[in-house]
Amino acid sequence: MPVYRPSAHDSKQIEQTREILRDSEELLNLPKPDSFAGRKTQEPPRFEDSDPMDRADIQKLIYSELRPPE
């Protein structure tokens, strides 16, 4: 029965496979990526508890751009 002896091509293929496995293991050991989904970056702006129509910015908008022509 003949004995199998790896060729140069086989050795190169084995080394490439080991390199891919090392890179894969490195990737798997990295921390979970930050997907940014669901994480609060800042608090939403707080408005007065009163009627939004009483806010100064809304009143300015109403009396400037949204006013019908006379």
Side-chain angles (χ1 to χ4, degrees), residues 22-65:
R22 278 192 297 272
D23 292 345
S24 298
E25 185 179 18
E26 235 177 80
L27 268 175
L28 289 171
N29 287 328
L30 290 175
K32 182 178 170 185
D34 183 7
S35 65
F36 195 71
R39 184 166 47 95
K40 289 184 180 179
T41 57
Q42 63 186 23
E43 291 297 319
R46 292 211 167 267
F47 296 111
E48 300 86 36
D49 292 333
S50 62
D51 184 15
M53 295 302 288
D54 293 337
R55 288 183 16 209
D57 57 338
I58 300 293
Q59 289 297 317
K60 182 179 177 186
L61 183 64
I62 289 172
Y63 288 112
S64 63
E65 296 177 10

